[in-house]
Amino acid sequence: MQTWIILWLYISSTVIEICTGIASPLQPFTTYDHSIQLEANIAELWWTVNNTAQEITFELHVKTIGWIALGISPAGGMKGADIAVGWVDSSGKAHIQDRFAFDKQKPVMDNTTQDWFLLKGQEQNGWTAIQFKRSLDSCDPMDVPIKLGTNILIFAYDLDDIDPCQSKLDIKYHDDRRGTRILPLRSYADQPTDEMFVGLDFVDFRFDNHAVPSADTTYYCKVFKSPSRFLTKRHAIAHKVLIDSRNTNLLHHLDLFECSSKDVLDDANLPDGICDDILTGMRMCSSNVATSWAIGADSTTVYPEEAGYAVTSAISNKYFMIKIHYDNPRLTS
């Protein structure tokens, strides 16, 4: 299985205005405080928190004409998740259901109180959009409070609608049509778009066409040299992780390390291979973490205006190592 990973480090001394774009062809029903792409060209989420009313309004757009679902999970999986399932039927009427997942199985209808409230819905051009709201904390034992700090969102979708009158048209297993994001819903800082970085230099660390083994877990390491084109010390103001959209399910996390100046490296033969095989003689390359990324994290991180990360030195080049954890439970070849 071929994958590619790119870690971009954007280099500049200035930060420019942040813009936000969307992939969904449907316009949101209203203006929201925040938005994020849950899955590239597949799923978009908007939301606004009303602290006075202690409620949150969501709008979920997914590229499907079947049901779509958004859940709040206590630990990142199905178990214990509070889930809203919505769809637009053939007559154009929108629906929503409040469900709860006791385990990795079909979520059941919440039999306590209905706490996800439908506002609007539409279906056009192969996309479904549902606007809905709920309390930040409903005090319902089958709901998950949306607290300050990070919240774990799960989402899924199917190709067919639900028909409450026909049991065979109930919610069913979504296969790989799912995802997870970790977001501070009540204090989120919107992601910058690529327009922010137009005209800036960048350093590109690329895992290009790497074949992931058919093993459950693989830790792969690769060392990179900072570019020699910079004649003075330069700082990164942001970094972005780009993952082949066909293989996002294989990536568990990655770490970027800055190698120690005590490591002796051969530019013509920089280490590249299974981590256990190459780290024996260069442990100092895994002692200084520059940045990390994991499932659910934002792809782009912008550093504070007051500080950056030095990617080159005034007197010599630097070396960096990326360590990737590939998760392949299906042992795909």
Side-chain angles (χ1 to χ4, degrees), residues 3 23 27-28 72 74 76 166 239 246 260 278 291 293 295 302 324:
T3 68
Q27 288 298 312
I72 312 296
Q166 300 185 52
H239 69 259
R246 298 166 298 177
S260 167
I278 71 172
T291 190
W293 175 90
I295 293 172
V302 178
I324 293 184

Side-chain angles (χ1 to χ4, degrees), residues 106-159:
K106 183 172 74 174
V108 301
M109 297 290 290
D110 187 336
N111 57 15
T112 52
T113 59
Q114 172 79 25
D115 297 305
W116 292 99
F117 296 100
L118 175 69
L119 299 176
K120 296 179 180 179
Q122 63 174 320
E123 188 176 277
Q124 293 180 30
N125 303 321
W127 284 72
T128 297
I130 300 289
Q131 184 191 50
F132 50 100
K133 69 177 184 178
R134 57 154 279 187
S135 298
L136 296 176
D137 189 353
S138 66
C139 299
D140 182 344
M142 296 182 78
D143 290 347
V144 178
I146 298 174
K147 299 180 179 180
L148 291 169
T150 55
N151 311 107
I152 306 176
L153 274 66
I154 59 175
F155 66 95
Y157 62 98
D158 195 50
L159 305 180

Side-chain angles (χ1 to χ4, degrees), residues 65-69 84-90 92-99 109 118 120-123 128-130 160-165 169-171:
I65 57 172
W67 59 260
I68 63 178
V85 181
W87 71 97
V88 177
D89 64 26
S90 57
K93 183 180 179 181
H95 305 261
I96 198 166
Q97 293 178 341
D98 186 350
R99 292 183 175 243
M109 297 290 290
L118 175 69
K120 296 179 180 179
Q122 63 174 320
E123 188 176 277
T128 297
I130 300 289
D160 300 309
D161 283 337
I162 296 171
D163 186 343
C165 299
L169 294 179
D170 195 6
I171 187 173

